[in-house]
Amino acid sequence: MKAIVFKGPKDFEMQEIPMPLCPEEGILVKVKAVGLCGSDIRTFDVGHGKLIPPQVIGHEVAGVIESIGKNISDFSVGDKVAVNPIIPCGHCDYCKIGFGNHCQELEFLGTTIPGGYAQYVAIPKVALANDCVIKITNNLPMEQVPLAETTASVICAQKNMGVGKGDTVLIFGAGPIGCLHAVIAKARGAKKVIMSEINESRLDLVRRFTSIDVFVDSSQQDVHEIVLAETNNLGADAAIVACPVGLVQEQAIDMVRKRGRVCFFGGLPINNCHINLNSNRIHYDEIAIYGAFAYAPKDFIEAFHLISEGKVPAAEFVTHILPLKDIAEGIDIIKKGLGIKVVLKPWD
Ligand SMILES: [Zn+2]
Ligand SMILES: [Zn+2]
């Protein structure tokens, strides 16, 4: 089969490799669409701590069941499926309290096990046992399914930080994640969403999203001034930093009101991950800072249903559909801010 093989930082190519075998009590999925995720682009550039090359990466997978292992009654050959790539064990201390994202034996499709930048992907038994495979029973276009993974992360983060009714939410970074935060914030009852983005072409691309009320070009405009003007001089109720920039994390703390919540959604480069916090704002003004890493299986199921029911306008996010062999072009589109979500098709 054809697959993109990652051999090390800045070193990957399409290769002909053996088709994976169907796991004994798992399934083999013919990949119909796979999302090009920002985290994959980072892996292509600098590698990943939990990944040993060579590896087939890619984790936002939608496909059709090609073959099926033993003892599986819920699925049949030919079923269309969405695959949740964050596969918890289901029995460790974190899994038991519902935080599968921190599972001590986490398997991550496309990192610890071969992923979806390929024509076929093997899905192990543990994924089926932990509700990580969802049957698609309607006519949802396959290219919209990969959005479920990022949507799940966004849902999990907003639940944690308590985005809800009446909130004014400030979002930094108008990539697919920032825009999904806007959609989910509104779905959770937020009153106003302010989007700050430094790349003008990316900002223009996202003007299509009705969930965003105020667009701020941070290369030209003073974000803090606009936030104060939009919030009666109080500051935002919640701020979400959906870009990997430490300085923006620092600034976000100054732009929320007293008792405001800040979420650091994007990770920083490993050799540059210390920032300067205004500790007194956290102390006197009772600012809460939240992290965000992945999600639990229940969040993925919720995300999939929001997309499937049209409550997340996935079609508006998918700006480019490319054959898998053109992955380098897709990476370029994302890096230059010329598209929102790129989806790859391994059979085109
Ligand atoms: Zn992803
Ligand atoms: Zn676990």
Side-chain angles (χ1 to χ4, degrees):
M1 68 168 183
K2 290 184 168 52
I4 303 293
V5 178
F6 169 74
K7 294 183 285 184
K10 297 187 170 61
D11 185 10
F12 62 90
E13 64 178 3
M14 180 170 263
Q15 291 182 359
E16 193 68 41
I17 62 168
M19 196 171 140
L21 298 171
C22 181
E24 199 182 339
E25 292 180 75
I27 56 175
L28 184 69
V29 171
K30 182 175 184 176
V31 180
K32 292 290 188 174
V34 53
L36 180 59
C37 182
S39 68
D40 294 333
I41 294 176
R42 192 164 59 236
T43 300
F44 280 132
D45 278 347
V46 299
H48 186 293
K50 295 205 162 65
L51 186 156
I52 302 157
Q55 178 67 294
V56 177
I57 68 169
H59 58 271
E60 300 178 350
V61 176
V64 175
I65 296 181
E66 175 80 9
S67 54
I68 210 154
K70 283 190 280 184
N71 304 323
I72 294 170
S73 53
D74 301 347
F75 296 95
S76 315
V77 169
D79 282 349
K80 293 187 289 178
V81 289
V83 180
N84 168 2
I86 312 245
I87 307 165
C89 72
H91 55 71
C92 72
D93 288 337
Y94 288 111
C95 283
K96 276 190 221 154
I97 56 168
F99 292 99
N101 50 332
H102 297 295
C103 172
Q104 288 157 308
E105 295 165 37
L106 194 68
E107 292 283 15
F108 189 8
L109 195 77
T111 300
T112 61
I113 55 177
Y117 291 147
Q119 291 181 311
Y120 294 95
V121 62
I123 307 299
K125 174 187 177 183
V126 62
L128 296 161
N130 288 285
D131 301 325
C132 293
V133 181
I134 303 175
K135 206 186 288 187
I136 303 168
T137 54
N138 62 5
N139 291 326
L140 180 67
M142 290 303 244
E143 61 266 21
Q144 295 184 20
V145 178
L147 215 62
E149 196 255 346
T150 24
T151 307
S153 298
V154 164
I155 288 171
C156 184
Q158 292 198 16
K159 277 185 193 165
N160 267 338
M161 70 186 298
V163 170
K165 210 166 182 333
D167 279 347
T168 292
V169 182
L170 169 63
I171 299 167
F172 294 93
I177 293 195
C179 295
L180 279 167
H181 270 296
V183 170
I184 297 298
K186 279 288 170 72
R188 294 177 63 83
K191 178 180 66 185
K192 189 185 281 182
V193 168
I194 304 168
M195 174 65 77
S196 172
E197 167 62 50
I198 198 160
N199 179 322
E200 202 183 326
S201 59
R202 185 175 289 139
L203 195 66
D204 284 338
L205 260 177
V206 306
R207 289 187 195 274
R208 67 178 79 191
F209 291 106
T210 52
S211 308
I212 304 170
D213 303 285
V214 182
F215 296 87
V216 185
D217 177 353
S218 60
S219 72
Q220 308 280 334
Q221 295 170 288
D222 184 331
V223 187
H224 200 178
E225 216 168 76
I226 293 171
V227 170
L228 290 176
E230 292 288 340
T231 57
N232 246 335
N233 276 322
L234 285 175
D237 298 291
I240 297 163
V241 184
C243 59
V245 183
L247 189 66
V248 178
Q249 293 181 340
E250 293 171 15
Q251 290 168 343
I253 290 163
D254 290 327
M255 296 195 203
V256 290
R257 64 162 169 79
K258 292 181 181 183
R259 294 194 58 78
R261 292 99 68 203
V262 178
C263 175
F264 294 168
F265 194 90
L268 300 184
I270 197 158
N271 54 359
N272 194 12
C273 60
H274 291 89
I275 62 170
N276 284 308
L277 293 182
N278 180 345
S279 172
N280 279 349
R281 269 235 81 196
I282 295 164
H283 170 72
Y284 290 110
D285 294 340
E286 300 188 315
I287 309 297
I289 301 176
Y290 292 82
F293 171 69
Y295 52 83
K298 61 181 185 306
D299 302 312
F300 185 89
I301 293 168
E302 187 177 337
F304 172 77
H305 286 297
L306 286 176
I307 291 169
S308 182
E309 291 158 16
K311 289 175 185 155
V312 168
E316 287 182 48
F317 281 83
V318 181
T319 52
H320 296 78
I321 299 170
L322 300 174
L324 182 61
K325 66 176 172 52
D326 293 340
I327 190 166
E329 185 188 333
I331 292 171
D332 204 47
I333 287 168
I334 296 300
K335 282 190 173 172
K336 289 183 177 154
L338 303 174
I340 301 171
K341 187 73 187 177
V342 174
V343 172
L344 303 162
K345 293 207 161 175
W347 294 90
D348 288 4

